Amino acid sequence: MKDLFEKIYKDKGPLGKWASQAEGYFVFPKLEGEISNRMKFQGKDVITWSINDYLGLANHPEVRKVDAEAAAKYGSAYPMGARMMSGHTDLHEKLQNELADFVSKEASYLLNFGYQGMVSTIDALVAKDDIIVYDVDAHACIIDGVRLHMGKRFTYKHNDVESLEKNLERATKMAEQTGGGILVISEGVFGMRGEQGRLKEIVELKKEFNFRLFVDDAHGFGTLGATGAGAGEEQGVQDDIDVYFATFAKSMASTGAFIAGDKEIIDYLKYNLRSQMFAKSLQMQLVVGALKRLEMLKTMPELKKNLWTVVDALQSGLKSRGFDIGTTQSCVTPVYLKGSIPEAMALVKDLRENYGIFCSIVVYPVIPKGLILLRMIPTATHTLQDVEETLDAFDAIRARLDNGTYKRLSAALMAAMGE
């Protein structure tokens, strides 16, 4: 019999094998200082493009004040117990009602964490006779939720409506045999590419196929739509989303999440979401803080306006200088370059050490081999000066990538890895 841990000693995985070179710098980096457009990394000031604080609420004085007052009043424990047992309060209900109203749904239900809540919601929505059809580029939390499903599931090509239609035909035939239903899952905004899910076209397919639509709008909530209610509002199909999901970890700069939909659906889910039924309630300080943040989303449109001023300047500046930012339709700003993982490491180190720019690096296996993705998250706290400095830095690092500087710098790393 093989030792269970044998595989761990032999194969660290596609990312884990770089741990000794990458950890603490390229992965698990330690940013310091108040969450803002400029922070410190290893003692140096850097322009920070890796924080999902879209609306700049993380250190807004009004938010900090409410958070501090709530912590002083309730501590970090209250309420104790799961919602169904002893962890339910009027303020939890108030937040749910206000969230439902904001996203134009009959009801909503709070989730302790976005990832955990997404997995559990998928699990609760489908039974073994049902079929799931989901975008191949779906977030890991969706994939993990789908893995729990004991029935059939199909992926369709990313944002490809024709591929979705073909898979719906397959799913329909299978559902007719099993007696089950069909759940289609898309994201409102895909967090790596920045593309909006093709919700309008997906909804149009409801005329031909019988399915329910579940949308993960983590990056759309607060940033898209006339009121900030997300990708469904932006595309004019919010009413046709059967179950809407968003997290507090992006625009709300906090912890927690929620689902929203018809009251009967949400009532069913709150009695069947295992991750909420058997877990401690969301702490009161987070609930009170979320109420304040939601109020600001609704009453301070300048937050979103400031965000999009920065987004437009950054994305138009990158495109005018010939950078490939894909087909982003959101604040998420990907910059695609060609190179190896060691070249990517050399490039990012240069960007941070010599140009004071901190952004996330994404490489294989998240994206195809030979590509480097620098993922940038603009926020309302960034300035146009930040944008100009960043554009100039990107011009410089692209030139060094093209002339082979990073290939030479990475040769020693490759040799050390035995590649």
Side-chain angles (χ1 to χ4, degrees), residues 30 117 126 155 167-168 173-174 179 250 268 271 275 314 335:
K30 298 173 184 176
V126 292
T155 58
N167 279 283
L168 280 171
K173 290 178 182 177
M174 186 162 292
K250 307 290 190 297
Y268 170 82
Y271 280 92
S275 68
L314 179 64
V335 178

Side-chain angles (χ1 to χ4, degrees), residues 162-189:
E162 184 178 340
S163 174
L164 171 58
E165 189 170 2
K166 288 179 180 177
N167 279 283
L168 280 171
E169 290 171 355
R170 297 169 65 195
T172 298
K173 290 178 182 177
M174 186 162 292
E176 288 170 350
Q177 296 173 357
T178 65
I182 301 171
L183 177 67
V184 172
I185 307 175
S186 177
E187 295 188 42
V189 173

Side-chain angles (χ1 to χ4, degrees), residues 207-259:
K207 295 177 181 177
E208 185 178 352
F209 300 96
N210 182 18
F211 64 87
R212 294 293 187 170
L213 176 59
F214 183 19
V215 173
D216 173 356
D217 203 24
H219 289 272
F221 178 77
T223 68
L224 295 176
T227 69
E233 182 182 56
E234 177 83 8
Q235 298 182 36
V237 294
Q238 187 75 351
D239 290 346
D240 298 290
I241 297 172
D242 297 294
V243 182
Y244 178 89
F245 165 95
T247 175
F248 300 158
K250 307 290 190 297
S251 290
M252 298 269 271
S254 186
T255 299
F258 72 98
I259 46 174

Side-chain angles (χ1 to χ4, degrees), residues 25-26 343-357 393 396-398 400-401 405-406 409:
Y25 195 93
F26 303 103
E343 283 178 292
M345 290 178 173
L347 179 154
V348 169
K349 188 167 186 178
D350 191 20
L351 198 58
R352 293 176 183 177
E353 298 297 323
N354 299 315
Y355 298 96
I357 307 296
I397 59 109
R398 178 176 56 186
R400 303 193 83 191
L401 180 65
T405 297
Y406 298 134
L409 290 173

Side-chain angles (χ1 to χ4, degrees), residues 6-25:
E6 184 178 336
K7 59 182 177 292
I8 296 174
Y9 302 132
K10 289 184 176 180
D11 183 4
K12 301 298 183 183
L15 291 177
K17 73 175 185 177
W18 300 99
S20 60
Q21 289 80 18
E23 190 163 325
Y25 195 93

